[in-house]
Each structure stands twice: as structure tokens, then as C-alpha cells.
Amino acid sequence: GCGIMKTIMQEIQTALAKQIDWLSYSHSQALKLPEEHEKWEKSHYDVMESLCARFARGIDFLVRKVFRALDDAEFLPQGTLIDTVHRAHKRNLFEYIETIQRIKDLRNQIAHEYADEVLADLFPEVRSLTQELIQMMQNTLVYVDESLNKNDNN
């Protein structure tokens, strides 16, 4: 029962903190890139690739693992991913449903893209939405921290 859930939440807490750290690092590297990707060198493309990859992994992890685990921890029935996102919204983990929808759409575009040039076209939006994603992850980490502390005190 509770012990297993606590272990799962602690693992999520650790993993989420690591993801935030790597995503923030990639984001800060990305902010240093020249605006026009025509001027990019190969190393610049590497920075873009890793931000896009971490962005995509980040949203997947947040929605599919973390938000799902919160539902389980609060004994809510496994609904659709949309249900899960709406419940996360009710927990005030992010401000706008539209934002998470844009992040998920962008993640799908990244996942199906094989051309660096097209990825480079998506990049400005990835860069601006990464800040939103990091914020959601940080809010969620605070929520996880608080729920673990609350259960310790019971």
C-alpha cells in the first residue's frame, strides 16, 4: 500500500529533479545560439538536437509517468491521458490547458521529424515553450515534495 506508493513518489521526485536540471542546462545552451540557423555550425545543431530530445522526453515523462502516478497516489481511476492532464490542471500544476496542448503538439512534430532544417524551423517555439515546461515540472516537483512531507507527518 502506502510504502510502495511512497517509494514510487520518491523515485519520481529524484527523476523529475534530474530532468529539470538537464532541461534547464540545454535551455541555457540554446539561448546562446545565433538567431538565424543559416549561421549555425555543427555544434549548434547538437545543442538544438539535445534540447528537442529533452523537451520531448520531459513532456512525456511529466504526463505519462508523473501525472499518472499522482492519480494513482490519490486513488483516482485511470482515465484517458486527457483526464490525467485535466486533473493535473485542477492541482494547479500549470496555468493553461492550451499551453500543455501546444507542448504536446510540438513534441509530436519533433518525434516525426528527421530533417535538421525542419527541426531548426521548430526550434524557436521549442526554445520559448521549454521555459513553460520547466515551470510545470518545477510546480509538479513542489507538489510531489509537499505530498511526501504530508504523508510523513501523518
Side-chain angles (χ1 to χ4, degrees):
C2 264
I4 295 170
M5 204 62 233
K6 187 180 172 186
T7 308
I8 291 169
M9 290 319 266
Q10 283 167 334
E11 283 169 8
I12 280 178
Q13 188 182 33
T14 307
L16 191 55
K18 269 193 193 132
Q19 291 230 4
I20 291 168
D21 192 45
W22 278 109
L23 194 56
S24 302
Y25 168 75
S26 277
H27 190 238
S28 65
Q29 296 301 103
L31 293 174
K32 298 174 193 163
L33 293 187
E35 278 306 313
E36 303 83 33
H37 59 79
E38 292 75 27
K39 300 199 172 105
W40 285 4
E41 293 159 24
K42 281 193 170 146
S43 63
H44 295 147
Y45 278 95
D46 280 344
V47 169
M48 176 193 72
E49 289 269 351
S50 56
L51 180 65
C52 288
R54 285 177 181 143
F55 177 87
R57 278 204 304 270
I59 189 63
D60 283 354
F61 179 71
L62 189 63
V63 174
R64 293 169 186 277
K65 286 279 193 297
V66 186
F67 290 173
R68 282 267 197 227
L70 291 175
D71 285 353
D72 290 345
E74 291 163 22
F75 303 107
L76 296 165
Q78 282 273 354
T80 62
L81 276 180
I82 292 169
D83 296 332
T84 298
V85 167
H86 280 276
R87 288 173 188 155
H89 187 243
K90 286 201 180 88
R91 294 182 188 105
N92 297 317
L93 301 183
F94 54 91
E95 206 171 349
Y96 304 112
I97 294 268
E98 297 75 36
T99 308
I100 205 165
Q101 209 46 64
R102 276 177 63 213
I103 290 172
K104 286 171 71 183
D105 289 345
L106 195 52
R107 173 246 172 255
N108 291 337
Q109 284 177 277
I110 290 167
H112 298 116
E113 201 38 71
Y114 302 103
D116 275 344
E117 281 304 307
V118 184
L119 214 47
D121 290 334
L122 296 175
F123 191 62
E125 199 182 357
V126 174
R127 204 160 47 177
S128 67
L129 282 174
T130 297
Q131 199 48 59
E132 306 266 0
L133 178 55
I134 290 169
Q135 190 58 58
M136 287 178 192
M137 292 169 103
Q138 284 169 334
N139 296 346
T140 305
L141 187 58
V142 169
Y143 187 92
V144 170
D145 290 346
E146 283 170 358
S147 67
L148 279 167
N149 289 339
K150 198 167 60 205
N151 292 338
D152 278 348
N153 298 333
N154 286 350

